[in-house]
């Protein structure tokens, strides 16, 4: 039983394409997040949603658009992909004391 | 603004030796503190956390950490390293308010030699 799952695990695409990453959690948590891990393994928050409402929107290009159809799902859509978007994207969820549970990550490679 | 500093981007120990990974934070209010471990090509797994109460916190896999407010530190230790401990370790801080982001340090790569 995977607590936080992401699809796909790997995503290889050309510059200029549009792609989506899906995230689902079965923990019953109210809050979900997207983090980006760069090539130096630095992790930074991108977005968070609480009960389908956007609460954190860091300085991220507006090519990135999160969507939360329900509180168990948080998807990330990226338009006009650029080389610099290559990274590992992690979804996470939390409920109490801000303890966050992370998904396995999606490695995005833009060629 | 909160920030986290992990001293030493790479720590090498021998199997059976003490593991000490350093983490200092800056925060205007007492934060929540976390240590996560990341094995190659995997997600992050929580090792331990400090929220309130006892300042010495025990986690999984024999790790523990001590919150020292006067030193703004939350160093991670393990008495005896195991080969399986080789991984990337991240210290993180957050505000108490639910749903706030984790602010991560840059990580420390732990290598364990036999």
């Amino acid at each position: 039983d995977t607590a936080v799952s992401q699809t796909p695990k790997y995503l290889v695409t050309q510059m200029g394409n549009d792609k989506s990453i899906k995230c689902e959690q079965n923990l019953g948590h109210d809050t979900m997040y997207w983090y980006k891990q760069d090539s130096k393994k630095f992790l930074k928050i991108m977005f968070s949603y609480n009960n389908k409402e956007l609460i954190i929107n860091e300085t991220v290009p507006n090519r990135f658009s999160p969507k939360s159809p329900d509180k168990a799902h948080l998807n990330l859509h990226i338009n006009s992909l650029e080389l610099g978007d290559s990274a590992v994207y992690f979804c996470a969820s939390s409920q109490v004391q801000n303890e966050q549970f992370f998904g396995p990550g999606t490695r995005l490679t833009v060629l | 603004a909160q920030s986290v500093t992990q001293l030493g981007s790479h720590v090498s120990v021998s199997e059976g030796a003490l593991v000490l990974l350093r983490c200092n934070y800056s925060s205007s209010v007492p934060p929540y503190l976390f240590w996560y471990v990341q094995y190659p090509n995997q997600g992050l797994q929580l090792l331990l956390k400090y929220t309130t109460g006892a300042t010495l916190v025990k986690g999984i896999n024999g790790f523990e950490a001590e919150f020292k407010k006067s030193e703004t530190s939350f160093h991670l230790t393990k008495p005896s390293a195991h080969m399986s401990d080789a991984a990337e370790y991240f210290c993180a801080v957050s505000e108490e308010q639910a749903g706030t982001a984790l602010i991560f340090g840059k990580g420390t790569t732990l290598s364990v030699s036999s």
Side-chain angles (χ1 to χ4, degrees):
Chain A
D1 287 349
T2 305
V4 182
S5 59
Q6 295 179 228
T7 53
K9 188 167 175 62
Y10 299 96
L11 187 51
V12 181
T13 188
Q14 299 286 332
M15 267 197 320
N17 284 350
D18 303 339
K19 290 293 179 185
S20 292
I21 306 171
K22 295 187 176 183
C23 177
E24 176 182 4
Q25 55 97 0
N26 63 7
L27 298 167
H29 290 169
D30 288 335
T31 309
M32 296 184 73
Y33 310 79
W34 279 110
Y35 288 86
K36 179 180 179 180
Q37 185 174 45
D38 64 22
S39 58
K40 296 183 179 178
K41 297 191 177 179
F42 184 60
L43 284 146
K44 189 173 180 184
I45 184 71
M46 299 175 70
F47 304 101
S48 77
Y49 271 74
N50 182 270
N51 264 322
K52 303 193 297 176
E53 182 181 344
L54 180 67
I55 55 173
I56 296 177
N57 185 355
E58 286 295 305
T59 309
V60 173
N62 57 16
R63 298 181 294 103
F64 290 78
S65 53
K67 282 189 171 56
S68 181
D70 55 61
K71 75 173 192 177
H73 295 85
L74 179 61
N75 304 323
L76 183 65
H77 188 77
I78 316 169
N79 289 326
S80 304
L81 278 155
E82 300 178 356
L83 292 176
D85 297 332
S86 295
V88 181
Y89 293 85
F90 286 102
C91 177
S93 71
S94 71
Q95 186 75 348
V96 294
Q97 294 181 333
N98 219 22
E99 178 179 337
Q100 298 188 16
F101 293 78
F102 284 78
T106 296
R107 183 175 295 275
L108 171 65
T109 303
V110 182
L111 303 174
Chain B
Q2 294 175 322
S3 66
V4 177
T5 301
Q6 291 184 240
L7 279 175
S9 59
H10 199 139
V11 171
S12 297
V13 300
S14 299
E15 196 172 21
L18 171 71
V19 175
L20 171 60
L21 304 183
R22 299 178 187 274
C23 173
N24 288 88
Y25 68 90
S26 67
S27 175
S28 56
V29 296
Y32 286 172
L33 294 157
F34 306 84
W35 275 99
Y36 282 85
V37 61
Q38 185 180 27
Y39 298 102
N41 298 316
Q42 293 188 27
L44 282 81
Q45 180 183 9
L46 181 68
L47 278 176
L48 48 78
K49 65 180 181 185
Y50 171 79
T51 54
T52 58
T55 56
L56 182 61
V57 180
K58 294 188 185 301
I60 62 171
N61 302 339
F63 284 93
E64 63 182 37
E66 187 171 10
F67 170 58
K68 292 187 176 180
K69 186 178 177 181
S70 61
E71 298 177 8
T72 60
S73 68
F74 191 56
H75 302 330
L76 182 71
T77 60
K78 182 173 180 177
S80 176
H82 205 266
M83 296 292 284
S84 60
D85 294 327
E88 191 79 21
Y89 290 80
F90 293 95
C91 181
V93 63
S94 80
E95 297 175 6
E96 287 188 27
Q97 182 181 353
T100 55
L102 292 177
I103 306 302
F104 285 91
K106 292 187 176 180
T108 298
T109 303
L110 176 65
S111 300
V112 182
S113 57
S114 57

